[in-house]
Amino acid sequence: MASSSPVKPEAGSVECDLLIRNGYVVSLDADRRIFPNGAVAVGRGLIVGVGTDREISGRFRPRTVLDARGSAVHPGFVDAHVHVTQHSTRGAFPDNLGFGNFTPYYTYWWNTVDDEDEYAGTLLACLEMVRNGITCFMEAGGVLEPNAAAAAVEAVGVRASLGDPLLWDVGQHAMATADHAVIKRAPPDRQRALKLLGSQLWRNRNADSLVRGHVALFGVGSASDELERAAKACADEHHAVLSQHQSFKSDDVAGDDARFGRHPLLHFAEAGVLGPNCAFTHMNIIRDDEVAAVTESKMSLIWCPAGSMNWGVGATSRGRMPELYQQGSNVALGSDSAKFGTTPQGVFAYLLARDRGGAQLGVEDVLEMSTLGGARAMGLQEQIGSLEPGKRADIVVRSADVPEAHPRLNPVQNLILAARSKSVDTVIIDGRIVVKGGHSTLLDEEAVYQRFRESTERILQRLGIRPDSKWPVIE
Ligand SMILES: [Zn+2]
């Protein structure tokens, strides 16, 4: 993209690497300022200026100029819960099974994947993320070989935090305990879990690293009190985040109620394992007496609206996310499984809130959850989540060349509800352009697809399954 430059840099202007001009800049700063004719200056991987195009163009002498042509410029989205290696399950398993019959497929899958499969899957998932405007993600604690995932993350150039590799030691979770369903490389084993807690935190020693680490338990009833306490202590000691699945649907919540003799969030609060560095995913079922435990702990809630709807959670619980968010809890969004794509979840959250009645969400709310909320859940609120001087330059520049971006009466509504991922043009992460014209600048995308298809084919052969088709397939 080129730009004519009607505004000349002023005397005394400073050099910068990149200047994004003529954007509808949605800053997400403390005052939520929007600059309809705005500019963002980037230098050494950081945002160095945000404001009106006239002001910023006068202050900086850029090496490169990017003309946003009036389209939206916003902080990159954060996907706060992704099973980043599991894209090869997409379309592989039957789609019409109940949850109990479905989860063993994942165990079979975990029992066959190798490091190359995890690398190829993560590569595809990360490519999908950046092309959809997601610049940072938190891995769900479901990767068997985090080093394989980390290599793929770096190749795509996305920001990430990786969790511990499937830690659990007791429990009711079908994937952890059913006789036919033990994951061989990650059995429910207290010694193994205690030994591996915090195994990814070494990545945080380098403050500039794109790939960070957090403490992760698998959760949903699969951790003893001893393991839960050890995980929280490990996270506290290293100023890290603790993530786990929690209170997903009626079955795991009933199991927790029975083993604790009370509702799980109450139990966790009394055990001292909740705090601002906790980021628990799903939290679809929160009873009245658990609300104070959630709000007073200042923990983050990672809402996966597609997963909630997919498993019919609304049949037994209306959910409280919009209400808790409006009461001040931090809510982030996660895509969870690959089934619906590693895409921003804002439109799902918006629609789910409306469908269930109760507290409603505006497009601004879901944009906050998708950016600031995710950053806060990952403990990265000082680094990312908004376009402000001093923050890392993780920026999405939209295209004006999609019908869904018009009219420009409310560009935030357009990008959350109508254009969604289709209008992503340029994606900048840590000051580096990783997507341009909608495509990766760092990778041969066709080679990524080929490598992933080959990996998936090998997995299917090892499992001895072929994807179902309800309709006749003519070869
Ligand atoms: Zn998950």
Side-chain angles (χ1 to χ4, degrees), residues 89 91-98 101-102 105 311 339 465-468:
T89 66
F93 302 156
D95 190 40
N96 55 356
L97 301 174
N101 293 326
F102 176 79
Y105 277 88
W311 294 110
K339 182 174 178 181
I465 60 172
R466 298 308 309 171
D468 273 353

Side-chain angles (χ1 to χ4, degrees), residues 81 83 140 218 245 281-282 336-337:
H81 184 86
H83 292 269
F218 196 83
H245 297 85
T281 294
H282 296 309
D336 201 6
S337 81

Side-chain angles (χ1 to χ4, degrees), residues 170-178 220-222 251-257 259:
V170 293
Q172 64 207 20
H173 198 288
M175 285 188 275
T177 59
V220 279
S222 66
D251 315 52
D252 60 87
V253 169
D256 270 352
D257 289 351
R259 72 178 177 135

Side-chain angles (χ1 to χ4, degrees), residues 33 35 93 151 191 196 232 271 329 345 363 427:
R33 289 183 301 167
F35 302 95
F93 302 156
Q191 290 313 312
L196 289 173
K232 179 64 163 63
S329 285
Q345 297 292 302
V363 290
V427 178

